[in-house]
Amino acid sequence: MNRRIQAIPSSLTLTIAARAAAMREKGEDVVSLSAGEPDYDTPQPVKDAAIKAIREGQTKYTASAGMPSLRRAIAEKLLNDNGLTYDHTSVIVSVGAKQCLYNLIYCLLDEGDDALIPAPYWLSTPEMVKLAGGRPVFVPCPEEDGYPLKVDALRKAWTPKSRILVINSPCNPTGAVYSWDDLVEIGTFALEKDLCVISDEIYEKMVYDNKRHVSILNAVPELRDSCALVGGFSKTWAMTGWRVGYAAGPRAVIDACDRFQSHATSNTATPSQHAALAALAVDDEFTGRMVKEFDRRRRTCMDRIRKIPGLSAAEPHGAFYVMLRTDRLYGKSAGGKKVTDSLSFCERLLDMEKVAAVPGAAFGSDRHVRISYATGMGAIEKAFDRIERFVKGME
Ligand SMILES: Cc1ncc(COP(=O)(O)O)c(C=O)c1O
């Protein structure tokens, strides 16, 4: 195997997921707070559009970059929703936002280049950078203020080899929603240092507390020639399994992604593209209802966390995760075994209380455990009853 794949560790999250799955198979009542996907079903008109497409024989290849009708509809969405003007030839449709990010990172980085990544980060980002031959350089975002990315931290982390900056607001796993002012400073710094910015905005619709999602391209329009925006259908329309995402950016960059994608995967499944086209025509009511419910669950999570001594969390304002601060409990024992880090915390919690969560180490913070509230209120309440018992039982 080549050096690049050997540098990619096996996923920490898999350890927990595999153990949880084995317990479930044995009939144990495992409650999972590890989901990275909405628990809502895909809207019916979206499903119907895919079924219709299949019935009508829309089952062949499309252009690698996606159906022109879908690329046009995405360009229209970017104009109407985000106030950004793109020709459809500057939009590419890929196998989820994940492939868009991988395409972009691969096409923009050269061997030995540095990629600036705010930390905590989405766990695939640094691995994509390594697969592309680059080096992830982390930019710490302080928990105390809700994990904002500050330009001073960016300046400190910058090296002469820094080539790209990958931002993700609203952020998985922290729930941070970057402010207009911070984005102006970040974008201005990127221009000054000639950095290409990749802006992962997949959680754009999941914002709470009257926060507003701002695209860095709205804050600093001059970045247009050096910034690519990534979005998708997985979260907004509960379509994780359909595998559709998009990137918009400078034509040359999108063309490069298309060349790469055309040799790697070709187009996203054709029926899924028809589904995505239908999703863009679904009114906002579906997502609005889901986000309102996520907000209710988010507030329940925060209320429960505040009542458990030894735990805390910075209030998340976006996405559907909470970074639970667990390090004050490290050194204590649970069921006779020491908890020393985020992995052992999650392992003990799963073994003793059958609650699955993701170790923060996977996201660059061993002081935390990530929980997702994209699961039913009943499961959330049950999980917190168990977490409370687990923490209170630690000695
Ligand atoms: C921050 C972030 N970016 C990108 C993705 C990828 O999403 P998709 O399902 O569109 O590939 C995810 C999925 O969890 C995510 O959390």
Side-chain angles (χ1 to χ4, degrees):
M1 280 181 284
N2 70 22
R3 273 179 297 113
R4 291 184 184 181
I5 197 64
Q6 287 183 51
I8 307 295
S10 62
S11 165
L12 261 188
T13 54
L14 287 185
T15 321
I16 297 291
R19 212 187 270 200
M23 287 167 75
R24 261 202 211 101
E25 243 166 58
K26 279 198 265 162
E28 295 186 41
D29 175 27
V30 177
V31 186
S32 179
L33 297 184
S34 62
E37 57 186 352
D39 57 327
Y40 279 64
D41 196 5
T42 302
Q44 193 59 41
V46 175
K47 293 182 183 179
D48 290 344
I51 293 165
K52 182 166 176 276
I54 293 169
R55 288 222 170 94
E56 290 176 354
Q58 305 286 338
T59 55
K60 310 291 190 204
Y61 294 129
T62 68
S64 156
M67 304 186 306
S69 55
L70 178 56
R71 294 167 79 191
R72 280 200 186 89
I74 292 167
E76 211 169 291
K77 177 253 175 252
L78 288 168
L79 180 62
N80 296 337
D81 259 21
N82 309 87
L84 299 169
T85 312
Y86 284 101
D87 184 76
H88 77 282
T89 53
S90 294
V91 173
I92 184 170
V93 178
S94 305
V95 180
K98 190 175 247 179
Q99 190 186 17
C100 296
L101 290 163
Y102 188 61
N103 285 348
L104 286 163
I105 289 172
Y106 190 90
C107 291
L108 290 171
L109 277 188
D110 259 322
E111 194 89 30
D113 284 344
D114 286 349
L116 294 166
I117 303 173
Y121 44 75
W122 180 49
L123 51 88
S124 292
T125 311
E127 310 307 342
M128 289 179 182
V129 166
K130 287 191 234 160
L131 283 169
R135 184 177 73 118
V137 174
F138 300 113
V139 188
C141 300
E143 178 183 5
E144 297 67 47
D145 308 323
Y147 303 100
L149 172 62
K150 290 289 181 187
V151 78
D152 291 346
L154 203 49
R155 208 173 273 285
K156 258 192 217 145
W158 182 87
T159 73
K161 287 187 175 172
S162 299
R163 176 96 188 93
I164 62 171
L165 163 66
V166 187
I167 59 171
N168 170 221
S169 173
C171 177
N172 171 10
T174 64
V177 178
Y178 294 174
S179 70
W180 178 278
D181 290 349
D182 283 347
L183 285 167
V184 167
E185 290 192 359
I186 295 163
T188 308
F189 176 78
L191 282 174
E192 175 196 323
K193 297 295 188 191
D194 207 13
L195 288 169
C196 292
V197 178
I198 299 173
S199 182
D200 177 355
E201 302 181 14
I202 190 155
Y203 293 98
E204 65 173 336
K205 301 287 183 191
M206 275 128 203
V207 284
Y208 318 104
D209 298 326
N210 297 320
K211 294 274 174 195
R212 198 165 61 94
H213 164 71
V214 179
S215 172
I216 192 165
L217 278 167
N218 295 131
V220 185
E222 299 82 358
L223 265 181
R224 206 183 151 84
D225 293 337
S226 52
C227 177
L229 179 155
V230 173
F233 294 78
S234 288
K235 319 289 173 177
T236 307
W237 291 280
M239 288 176 68
T240 46
W242 298 80
R243 312 306 306 130
V244 197
Y246 58 86
R251 176 81 183 272
V253 173
I254 297 301
D255 281 351
C257 290
D258 187 15
R259 287 203 300 282
F260 180 51
Q261 177 166 302
S262 73
H263 295 296
T265 59
S266 298
N267 62 278
T268 299
T270 306
S272 288
Q273 292 191 57
H274 284 277
L277 197 50
L280 290 168
V282 168
D283 64 31
D284 293 343
E285 205 264 337
F286 169 78
T287 311
R289 206 167 9 97
M290 181 166 67
V291 171
K292 204 167 162 201
E293 173 60 15
F294 285 170
D295 188 20
R296 203 168 71 90
R297 297 174 188 174
R298 177 185 70 103
R299 282 185 273 128
T300 299
C301 288
M302 291 307 293
D303 284 348
R304 296 293 308 255
I305 292 165
R306 284 189 200 101
K307 289 185 188 134
I308 305 177
L311 291 183
S312 65
E315 181 119 22
H317 298 294
F320 43 67
Y321 311 98
V322 183
M323 281 294 257
L324 198 57
R325 179 89 185 261
T326 45
D327 66 329
R328 294 185 200 96
L329 300 167
Y330 299 168
K332 291 194 173 194
S333 294
K337 283 195 193 160
K338 258 218 162 116
V339 167
T340 54
D341 53 17
S342 61
L343 179 59
S344 55
F345 186 96
C346 289
E347 283 174 337
R348 298 308 294 139
L349 181 63
L350 182 60
D351 289 346
M352 292 180 62
E353 292 291 352
K354 302 183 179 49
V355 174
V358 187
F363 310 98
S365 177
D366 205 25
R367 299 190 306 176
H368 296 86
V369 162
R370 191 196 75 175
I371 58 174
S372 158
Y373 48 88
T375 191
M377 194 65 111
I380 290 173
E381 294 281 15
K382 193 177 196 178
F384 272 103
D385 289 344
R386 295 178 182 190
I387 292 171
E388 187 162 2
R389 190 165 58 199
F390 175 75
V391 170
K392 285 187 173 158
M394 289 177 95
E395 44 195 19

